[in-house]
Amino acid sequence: DVKVTQSSRYLVKRTGEKVFLECVQDMDHENMFWYRQDPGLGLRLIYFSYDVKMKEKGDIPEGYSVSREKKERFSLILESASTNQTSMYLCASTRVDTGELFFGEGSRLTVL
Amino acid sequence: GESVGLHLPTLSVQEGDNSIINCAYSNSASDYFIWYKQESGKGPQFIIDIRSNMDKRQGQRVTVLLNKTVKHLSLQIAATQPGDSAVYFCAVPRGNKLTFGTGTQLKVEL
């Protein structure tokens, strides 16, 4: 069964802390994505990567960075967490020739 | 840029009835459309897709209709069941990314 695994389902962090959200996929997909999901706003793309060490900004990259050192792993980094980054974060992956995204279960981050 | 929206934030239907969830898009050049379902506490899951050279596509209990003239697509669920309760998103590719609508919460009443 294909799988996208996010390392933490729930996190609580303090303002100013550095936060790492890890995502691993076992489907050998080229493309990986990080979205955040907020009520009434749907899914908004933060960053995506189409190859190892490659990354592109999505629609709301401010306050975030990413790392893709291996094909199967895509990390989202909040250098200095702020309360407005409290959200559900969703990782997804896909083959380069299809629009069918496979999502992880999500990581709910609360920044106090 | 591309915008994708859904007509209703919430839709309530009786168990056994048919559900229709609507979505509008802005870019007439869009050639591929996808519906996702997100159950509570889970990530979105692919349901069905349709290419712009089609106006209808059927899956198991689901049908997607595409009206390119008015830039509208709909997801129809036949004989809605409690397990269909979820948030439904339409999505449109934008390069190698997807733009999602804001979602419709489908509530199934017993």
Side-chain angles (χ1 to χ4, degrees):
Chain A
D1 212 12
V2 297
K3 207 160 185 183
V4 177
T5 304
Q6 295 184 228
S7 55
S8 304
R9 292 297 306 274
Y10 301 95
L11 303 95
V12 179
K13 298 291 182 182
R14 298 205 174 273
T15 301
E17 281 193 80
K18 190 168 186 176
V19 182
F20 292 88
L21 299 179
E22 305 283 342
C23 175
V24 177
Q25 51 98 359
D26 64 0
M27 296 164 280
D28 201 37
H29 285 165
E30 295 87 359
N31 296 338
M32 296 188 74
F33 305 81
W34 275 105
Y35 287 87
R36 67 176 281 178
Q37 184 175 23
D38 301 287
L41 297 177
L43 280 75
R44 294 180 292 165
L45 182 64
I46 304 171
Y47 266 98
F48 70 102
S49 168
Y50 49 88
D51 201 353
V52 175
K53 297 192 185 294
M54 306 299 286
K55 61 184 179 184
E56 281 197 29
K57 293 179 180 179
D59 300 315
I60 51 163
E62 296 79 18
Y64 303 95
S65 62
V66 290
S67 172
R68 191 152 180 217
E69 296 296 318
K70 295 184 178 181
K71 189 175 185 180
E72 68 271 18
R73 188 180 296 271
F74 191 36
S75 303
L76 180 69
I77 303 153
L78 287 67
E79 294 288 342
S80 178
S82 63
T83 54
N84 62 11
Q85 292 178 309
T86 291
S87 186
M88 170 68 83
Y89 291 88
L90 289 161
C91 175
S93 71
T94 186
R95 289 198 325 265
V96 69
D97 59 347
T98 176
E100 181 180 350
L101 291 178
F102 293 86
F103 282 89
E105 301 274 85
S107 298
R108 185 166 292 282
L109 172 67
T110 301
V111 183
L112 302 176
Chain B
E2 175 72 56
S3 69
V4 179
L6 285 163
H7 288 182
L8 290 172
T10 305
L11 175 66
S12 293
V13 298
Q14 293 288 327
E15 183 181 4
D17 287 352
N18 295 336
S19 303
I20 300 176
I21 301 169
N22 296 301
C23 180
Y25 62 95
S26 63
N27 186 356
S28 57
S30 297
D31 61 359
Y32 180 54
F33 306 88
I34 312 163
W35 282 99
Y36 283 84
K37 172 186 180 183
Q38 185 177 24
E39 296 176 65
S40 180
K42 297 185 177 181
Q45 280 191 300
F46 172 91
I47 304 173
I48 191 169
D49 58 4
I50 187 169
R51 298 215 170 261
S52 60
N53 61 353
M54 305 169 70
D55 52 20
K56 181 178 181 179
R57 189 170 187 209
Q58 286 185 292
Q60 189 176 16
R61 279 200 309 116
V62 296
T63 301
V64 56
L65 299 177
L66 176 62
N67 185 330
K68 294 182 285 293
T69 302
V70 295
K71 292 184 279 189
H72 178 274
L73 68 158
S74 65
L75 178 72
Q76 300 181 2
I77 304 172
T80 310
Q81 302 170 359
D84 296 324
S85 294
V87 178
Y88 291 82
F89 298 92
C90 63
V92 178
R94 187 168 44 115
N96 54 0
K97 300 175 285 186
L98 279 181
T99 297
F100 285 83
T102 52
T104 291
Q105 171 82 56
L106 177 64
K107 298 182 179 179
V108 181
E109 297 171 350
L110 304 177

